[in-house]
């Protein structure tokens, strides 16, 4: 097994995986739809109380058994069906990749159109306002529903993944993350500063940070837990795979706390960018959910600022970096599986995963354009994939992992991994074990049932 070269590198790579579209884009939309600051509070509780222990359990499996997401179960529980938990993670990863790559393609298209200025070229503010909601809705439709453009950019985005992944763990993933993560934080800080300095931004800050506890409902809790799991990259096999590249001296508990805290920090910074800007420009009604937020509402904000194309390019660069460091991590799950299980070389494994994906994702990109009339094709390609993986596969894999590490793994396995064979105090490991046995299964079964009922 290759190992990450440095501690900073392994943290950058793992944070890079966690900070993706789920944190940068899905988080503000969830806050908006679930009562603002009330959701934030429950999300923070979910990250620390459930997210960290589940993350630690995946780290322990990966680093302790040094194998892919299926191999760890096969090694430790041979002859049982526990390997299906890992197989579920590998399958979910492949399916998630199909639609995630498409969004990566749209992002790349917006980045290019910001760089050459064409994104704002036809922009004329609506009479009496500085905005043109319909203009940017048309722009979005022309990209998302295009005949070939979305497909082409999706294929290019998959190509970028191939370049990074062919470089391997150290020279590809680690090196890219060491550059991408600091860049991401600098861009985020810059946008936070600008957004908070806008006149009228305070209302947005209040919405995001002043909790109304009466808004904490069971649905808000369930959504916050789902968001915490997605944004921390749990149950996708990513953390098992990356931890198999951690050294024996890595402190797993500390790494989980750092990765989760930095992911939370990015989510909060995104909230401090989006809500103040939206309230400063009075865009609350213009859509802060789904694709509308980043592809319609934010371009409207940029259009109202001086140097629109520059800010827009910087934002879509941020989004592209976040997406790329996540897609490489999830692709690595399947690549590592092929290398370990099938004995493929790195190059073969990368191409075997990404070339078919390039074709599949490009077809997926057409599901809003030429294929949209083929209802079945459109559904299978995008929405159904998204819902099936998020609502069914991920909760089942998380449940299997918690039950396995909490109850089935050999006695002392989690403690030995978390304390590095007794080097650290066992209190944290004991707390994680307790949560994995009781709290996590109950919480995940609740999400699962609420998703399918
Ligand atoms: N934590 C990642 C995110 O929030 O985007 C989860 C993820 C999803 C990673 C899809 C990679 C991916 F392809």
């Amino acid at each position: 097994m290759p190992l990450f070269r440095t501690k900073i590198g392994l943290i950058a790579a793992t944070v890079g995986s966690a900070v993706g579209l789920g944190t940068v884009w899905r988080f503000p939309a969830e806050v908006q739809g679930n009562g603002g600051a009330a959701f934030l509070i429950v999300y923070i509780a979910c990250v620390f109380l459930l997210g960290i222990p589940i993350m630690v359990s995946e780290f322990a499996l990966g680093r302790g058994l040094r194998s892919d997401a299926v191999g760890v179960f096969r090694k430790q529980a041979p002859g049982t069906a526990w390997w299906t938990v890992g197989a579920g993670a590998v399958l979910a990863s492949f399916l998630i990749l199909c639609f995630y790559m498409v969004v990566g393609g749209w992002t790349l298209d917006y980045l290019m159109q910001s760089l050459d200025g064409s994104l704002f070229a036809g922009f004329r503010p609506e009479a009496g306002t500085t905005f043109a909601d319909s203009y940017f809705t048309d722009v979005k439709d022309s990209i998302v529903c295009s005949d070939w453009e979305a497909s082409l950019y999706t294929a290019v985005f998959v190509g970028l993944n191939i370049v990074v992944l062919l470089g391997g763990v150290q020279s590809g993933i680690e090196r890219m993350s060491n550059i991408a993560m600091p860049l991401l934080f600098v861009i985020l800080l810059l946008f936070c500063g600008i957004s908070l300095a806008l006149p009228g931004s305070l209302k947005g800050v209040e919405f995001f940070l002043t909790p109304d506890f009466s808004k904490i409902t069971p649905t808000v809790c369930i959504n916050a837990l789902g968001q915490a799991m997605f944004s921390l990259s749990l149950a996708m096999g990513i953390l098992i795979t990356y931890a198999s590249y951690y050294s024996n001296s890595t402190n797993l508990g500390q790494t989980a706390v750092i990765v989760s805290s930095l992911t939370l920090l990015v989510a909060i910074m995104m909230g401090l960018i989006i809500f103040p800007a939206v309230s400063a420009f009075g865009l609350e009604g213009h859509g802060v959910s789904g694709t509308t937020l980043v592809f319609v509402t934010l371009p409207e904000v940029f259009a109202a600022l001086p140097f629109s194309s520059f800010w827009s390019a910087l934002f879509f660069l941020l989004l592209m970096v976040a997406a790329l460091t996540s897609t490489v991590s999830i692709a690595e799950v399947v690549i590592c599986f092929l290398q370990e299980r099938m004995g493929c070389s790195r190059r073969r494994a990368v191409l075997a995963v990404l070339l078919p994906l390039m074709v599949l994702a490009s077809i997926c990109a057409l599901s809003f354009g030429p294929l949209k009339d083929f209802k079945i094709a459109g559904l299978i390609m995008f929405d159904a994939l998204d819902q099936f993986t998020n609502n069914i596969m991920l909760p089942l894999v998380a449940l299997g992992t918690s039950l396995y590490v909490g109850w089935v793994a050999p006695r002392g396995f989690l403690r030995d991994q978390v304390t590095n064979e007794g080097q650290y105090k066992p209190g944290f490991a004991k707390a994680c074990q307790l949560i994995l046995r009781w709290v996590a299964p109950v919480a995940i079964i609740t999400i699962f049932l609420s998703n399918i009922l």
Side-chain angles (χ1 to χ4, degrees):
M1 276 279 168
L3 295 184
F4 286 117
R5 200 174 297 150
T6 63
K7 188 175 165 185
I8 297 267
L10 78 85
I11 289 181
T14 315
V15 175
S17 159
V19 173
L21 298 176
T23 314
V24 172
W25 163 25
R26 191 173 186 261
F27 174 77
E30 290 282 304
V31 171
Q32 174 81 11
N34 287 283
F39 178 86
L40 176 64
I41 293 202
V42 187
Y43 172 76
I44 294 176
C46 290
V47 166
F48 285 104
L49 291 178
L50 286 163
I52 291 180
I54 300 179
M55 185 177 276
V56 165
S57 72
E58 295 197 23
F59 282 170
L61 286 171
R63 208 266 309 261
L65 296 150
R66 294 227 180 272
S67 193
D68 59 282
V70 175
V72 292
F73 293 100
R74 282 221 188 261
K75 265 191 179 170
Q76 200 171 53
T80 68
W82 283 104
W83 64 271
T84 52
V85 173
V90 174
L91 182 63
S93 299
F94 193 80
L95 297 179
I96 288 174
L97 264 174
C98 288
F99 56 84
Y100 213 85
M101 292 291 189
V102 176
V103 185
W106 296 340
T107 307
L108 197 58
D109 198 346
Y110 268 80
L111 173 61
M112 291 306 168
Q113 293 209 25
S114 307
L115 286 175
D116 71 13
S118 54
L119 191 60
F120 300 95
F123 168 70
R124 303 278 173 274
E126 274 161 16
T129 75
T130 39
F131 300 107
D133 197 15
S134 56
Y135 172 76
F136 288 108
T137 305
D138 289 348
V139 170
K140 187 193 97 180
D141 289 346
S142 74
I143 289 175
V144 167
C145 310
S146 60
D147 285 346
W148 54 269
E149 207 175 307
S151 270
L152 180 76
Y153 278 104
T154 300
V156 175
F157 188 71
V158 178
L160 288 178
N161 279 265
I162 295 181
V163 172
V164 175
L165 287 161
L166 280 178
V169 173
Q170 290 190 351
S171 311
I173 298 176
E174 185 171 353
R175 189 159 5 129
M176 175 201 49
S177 309
N178 280 339
I179 302 168
M181 283 300 107
L183 178 72
L184 185 124
F185 274 93
V186 171
I187 301 180
L188 277 170
L189 264 178
L190 191 67
F191 274 113
C192 270
I194 294 176
S195 197
L196 291 172
L198 291 170
S201 62
L202 214 62
K203 226 171 82 212
V205 178
E206 251 170 47
F207 168 75
F208 182 50
L209 295 182
T210 318
D212 171 356
F213 289 98
S214 68
K215 290 200 172 140
I216 302 183
T217 61
T219 313
V220 166
C221 296
I222 288 164
N223 290 343
L225 181 56
Q227 173 62 23
M229 285 180 37
F230 192 83
S231 67
L232 295 177
S233 296
L234 303 178
M236 299 175 190
I238 297 175
L239 302 177
I240 296 180
T241 306
Y242 269 19
S244 72
Y245 308 145
Y246 288 3
S247 77
N248 285 338
S249 61
T250 303
N251 181 339
L252 299 184
Q254 188 195 53
T255 306
V257 172
I258 295 177
V259 169
S260 306
S261 309
L262 287 175
T263 308
L264 178 62
L265 181 67
V266 172
I268 292 179
M269 287 167 99
M270 274 315 293
L272 289 178
I273 293 170
I274 303 284
F275 297 110
V278 164
S279 79
F281 290 110
L283 290 173
E284 286 91 344
H286 286 221
V288 188
S289 66
T291 44
T292 314
L293 168 65
V294 280
F295 296 123
V296 178
T297 307
L298 282 181
E300 283 186 61
V301 170
F302 301 136
L305 295 174
F307 312 111
S308 311
S309 295
F310 173 76
W311 297 118
S312 171
L314 210 55
F315 179 80
F316 287 108
L317 177 68
L318 163 92
L319 202 61
M320 203 199 70
V321 164
L324 185 62
T325 49
S326 294
T327 47
V328 295
S329 76
I330 208 161
E332 184 66 22
V333 174
V334 195
I335 291 166
C336 178
F337 170 79
L338 289 184
Q339 285 183 276
E340 288 284 299
R341 298 287 98 211
M342 319 276 171
C344 294
S345 68
R346 172 101 203 157
R347 200 183 148 77
R348 273 191 158 211
V350 170
L351 296 179
V353 175
L354 287 143
L355 289 182
L357 195 76
M358 195 181 255
V359 177
L360 270 178
S362 303
I363 296 176
C364 202
L366 297 178
S367 61
F368 292 97
L371 290 186
K372 74 172 176 305
D373 294 331
F374 294 88
K375 275 260 176 306
I376 305 253
L379 274 176
I380 291 177
M381 297 296 173
F382 208 93
D383 290 347
L385 272 186
D386 188 9
Q387 283 175 13
F388 176 67
T389 47
N390 281 341
N391 298 349
I392 298 187
M393 295 196 70
L394 297 184
L396 284 181
V397 173
L399 178 66
T401 313
S402 304
L403 291 177
Y404 178 80
V405 177
W407 294 99
V408 181
R411 235 180 121 77
F413 169 72
L414 186 69
R415 188 195 54 226
D416 289 347
Q417 282 304 317
V418 176
T419 62
N420 280 1
E421 310 280 344
Q423 219 180 310
Y424 309 114
K425 295 210 174 85
F428 182 70
K430 281 188 186 156
C432 288
Q433 180 103 21
L434 206 71
I435 291 175
L436 291 170
R437 283 190 165 186
W438 301 105
V439 188
V442 171
I444 296 165
I445 289 173
T446 314
I447 303 197
F448 183 69
L449 292 179
S450 76
N451 278 338
I452 58 168
L453 293 180

